[in-house]
Amino acid sequence: MRILGIDPGTGILGFGVIDVDQKGKATLVDAGVIRTPVKQADSDRLLTIYDELHEIIKELKPTVMSVEKLFFAKNVTTAMSVSQARGVVLLCGKQHGLELFEYTPMQIKQGITGYGRADKKQIQEMVRLILGLQEVPKPDDAADALAAAICHSSTVRMS
Amino acid sequence: MRILGIDPGTGILGFGVIDVDQKGKATLVDAGVIRTPVKQADSDRLLTIYDELHEIIKELKPTVMSVEKLFFAKNVTTAMSVSQARGVVLLCGKQHGLELFEYTPMQIKQGITGYGRADKKQIQEMVRLILGLQEVPKPDDAADALAAAICHSSTVRMS
């Protein structure tokens, strides 16, 4: 199973692709970010996200998409901007026929470390260990996207 | 100039198309809503919105899109849902090469009635009068979308 994890955002969107074998062992395929310039209009930035994500899916051929879901937000403006990008991400995944799953940050923490109060550094360290990497993937958004992908693989394994 | 106004939402999205002549006179071309079932996953609903909006643009060939913009929100969950739909709307407009404009509810009120504190009924009545209609377009979301379109036409005329 090849899983594409997404940490949505308009300025920087993290993606991480992993393969999960029959035994549940996860390996890194690719990870990175899509960046869009602050100066651009929302519509231009959303088009860039859509086009680049389309290319990533076409090239890496995941069958499942695991997207981080905002559960609540302190800053409504940020929440609205992230949600616009999420809308485009979900649309793109659906158009490519991917199975879509959404997890809250707490579910991702629980799925990876077994408890919901782990901090960002602990999550990233677990991502590194689970994928057998020398270093934590950079930037943070790429690591967060991998965490979303790993969360889905562990959820599937448990059920 | 043919303007497509949009009142975004996931469950019900209003659209309204008007023609504006050289003197600034606006006439109704079409108005209505795109509805998506509550039971469906977000991704399915966003795909429906994208596909139907794509058809509307292809058929009616507007050159400008005027989208209502949430400025703040009491309910963050609603704001996130509306923003997901907005993301798909902006993407679709951009892909069709439309000129995109965004107006807050207060700007729309000011653009139509001349002051920002008009209530919903007053706005709808002005939409009816400006377009020379016998009745206020139904449902409300279609009338709100027409208000967004008219707002853009009046903003352009003034400048």
Side-chain angles (χ1 to χ4, degrees), chain A:
Chain A
M1 179 170 56
R2 180 164 285 193
I3 307 170
L4 167 59
I6 300 280
D7 178 25
T10 300
I12 182 162
L13 178 145
F15 70 90
V17 181
I18 62 171
D19 275 336
V20 183
D21 69 16
Q22 299 253 331
K23 290 175 186 167
K25 187 176 157 43
T27 48
L28 175 69
V29 177
D30 198 1
V33 295
I34 300 172
R35 288 181 200 272
T36 64
V38 180
K39 287 181 205 164
Q40 277 189 355
D42 280 1
S43 54
D44 289 306
R45 302 174 83 177
L46 294 168
L47 183 61
T48 301
I49 289 168
Y50 180 85
D51 287 345
E52 292 199 18
L53 190 57
H54 176 81
E55 287 304 316
I56 290 164
I57 294 173
K58 227 173 64 177
E59 192 187 321
L60 300 177
K61 300 183 177 57
T63 54
V64 175
M65 186 188 262
S66 176
V67 186
E68 188 171 316
K69 181 179 194 161
L70 275 180
F71 190 57
F72 74 103
K74 284 179 226 162
N75 184 325
V76 178
T77 308
T78 306
M80 292 197 289
S81 172
V82 172
S83 299
Q84 286 188 181
R86 280 189 89 251
V88 167
V89 165
L90 293 175
L91 174 74
C92 193
K94 193 75 201 171
Q95 288 178 325
H96 281 274
L98 302 188
E99 263 197 291
L100 301 177
F101 298 90
E102 305 183 48
Y103 298 99
T104 62
M106 182 163 290
Q107 287 174 319
I108 292 174
K109 285 176 187 180
Q110 276 171 338
I112 289 192
T113 66
Y115 76 117
R117 297 195 177 277
D119 67 23
K120 217 172 174 61
K121 286 230 160 180
Q122 288 173 305
I123 298 290
Q124 292 180 352
E125 188 56 22
M126 283 302 290
V127 167
R128 188 186 73 74
L129 285 169
I130 289 167
L131 297 178
L133 306 175
Q134 299 261 320
E135 291 180 11
V136 170
K138 291 279 168 201
D140 286 358
D141 310 78
D144 289 345
L146 287 168
I150 293 168
C151 168
H152 179 69
S153 76
S154 66
T155 307
V156 171
R157 239 179 321 161
M158 287 187 303
S159 57

Side-chain angles (χ1 to χ4, degrees), chain A residues 69-71 73 76 79-88 90 102, chain B residues 7-13 36-38 40-43 45-46 49 70 73 75-89:
Chain A
K69 181 179 194 161
L70 275 180
F71 190 57
V76 178
M80 292 197 289
S81 172
V82 172
S83 299
Q84 286 188 181
R86 280 189 89 251
V88 167
L90 293 175
E102 305 183 48
Chain B
D7 178 24
T10 301
I12 181 161
L13 178 144
T36 64
V38 179
Q40 277 189 354
D42 279 2
S43 53
R45 303 174 82 177
L46 294 169
I49 290 168
L70 274 181
N75 183 326
V76 178
T77 307
T78 306
M80 293 197 288
S81 173
V82 172
S83 299
Q84 287 187 180
R86 281 189 89 252
V88 167
V89 165

